[in-house]
Amino acid sequence: MEFFIGLTFDPSSIHYNKIESFRKRFDSKFQKGEKLQMTLLPPFSIEFLNNHEFNDFAEELTDILEGHLHGLDEISQIEFNGITFSMGKKGVLALTPKISPDLLHCQESLYHFLKESGAHFKKSKSAANPLLPIGRFDFIDLLESAIETAKIEFSSPFVMNGTSFVLFEKGPQQWIAKNNLFDFDSRNHFFFVNELCQNF
């Protein structure tokens, strides 16, 4: 089974809607309905013998997040202050966030817990710096056009309010939000299983 952990954002903000408008024009995965999120832990694979074992795993992730983030309201305010891009099998354009030390410590704790639990990351390096993907491209010319547009539309730093850390699971066509691990709004985590993922 393949998962990753990402931070979702308040969809009512002006900047959220601005990013969604950009993604609609430039992100090849937008039409698949993929949720806007900033990846805290990149994709990893891990197997479970049964549903109970998975539930224990998800609760451990929640405990780590709560231990690091409970009461730190300011961490939910994420400042984005630039753009970056990378070339691989596909081009990726992303916004670069200013990450607090508290959130980085939380990321490291999650990473070490996952490694100890037998998770295998696609990339061998340690937990990467979080980024907010806003465009994915099959062709270089589209990436170049998107970079020029992003330089204009996201030229000034801005802040978005993070709402929840979510465990995403890889489905047949897209990544599916499987569990809310920590909710900034209520400071009271809740656990849910997406209907599409109840049987695994």
Side-chain angles (χ1 to χ4, degrees):
M1 304 177 72
E2 197 168 341
F3 303 92
F4 76 85
I5 298 173
L7 174 64
T8 61
F9 295 90
D10 178 4
S12 66
S13 75
I14 294 173
H15 298 296
Y16 184 100
N17 292 320
K18 189 175 179 180
I19 292 171
E20 289 297 85
S21 172
F22 185 92
R23 291 182 63 217
K24 189 173 183 179
R25 286 172 281 154
F26 293 106
D27 191 351
S28 61
K29 295 189 177 182
F30 182 81
Q31 299 303 327
K32 293 182 178 180
E34 291 204 354
K35 187 184 292 285
L36 178 66
Q37 59 78 33
M38 183 179 75
T39 302
L40 185 68
L41 270 300
F44 59 89
S45 59
I46 187 170
E47 298 300 324
F48 303 100
L49 297 176
N50 51 52
N51 198 55
H52 177 73
E53 193 173 273
F54 169 78
N55 290 342
D56 288 344
F57 170 78
E59 287 179 8
E60 286 283 353
L61 294 176
T62 292
D63 288 344
I64 292 171
L65 285 162
E66 287 189 337
H68 280 275
L69 306 181
H70 185 75
L72 299 179
D73 296 340
E74 69 278 4
I75 287 183
S76 66
Q77 302 293 316
I78 306 294
E79 177 185 329
F80 294 91
N81 54 15
I83 62 172
T84 187
F85 65 92
S86 62
M87 295 299 300
K89 291 182 179 179
K90 290 189 176 183
V92 177
L93 177 63
L95 298 177
T96 55
K98 184 177 180 181
I99 302 298
S100 73
D102 290 306
L103 188 53
L104 289 175
H105 292 152
C106 181
Q107 181 194 44
E108 282 297 318
S109 293
L110 288 168
Y111 177 79
H112 290 303
F113 166 73
L114 290 169
K115 293 292 285 185
E116 290 172 0
S117 299
H120 298 282
F121 287 84
K122 280 190 169 183
K123 297 179 180 179
S124 58
K125 62 182 180 180
S126 183
N129 291 329
L131 296 172
L132 181 66
I134 59 173
R136 281 154 284 206
F137 311 89
D138 295 312
F139 305 103
I140 295 291
D141 56 341
L142 290 177
L143 174 59
E144 291 174 349
S145 174
I147 291 172
E148 293 306 311
T149 303
K151 285 179 179 178
I152 297 169
E153 295 189 11
F154 305 108
S155 58
S156 301
F158 64 91
V159 173
M160 282 204 303
N161 185 41
T163 55
S164 300
F165 281 104
V166 177
L167 181 67
F168 290 86
E169 181 181 14
K170 190 170 188 179
Q173 302 296 326
Q174 67 184 68
W175 291 94
I176 300 168
K178 187 172 178 67
N179 297 82
N180 265 33
L181 300 174
F182 182 87
D183 182 8
F184 278 112
D185 286 339
S186 65
R187 284 287 177 273
N188 188 16
H189 79 275
F190 58 96
F191 182 90
F192 75 91
V193 179
N194 189 294
E195 272 187 336
L196 297 177
C197 300
Q198 283 182 345
N199 299 315
F200 65 88

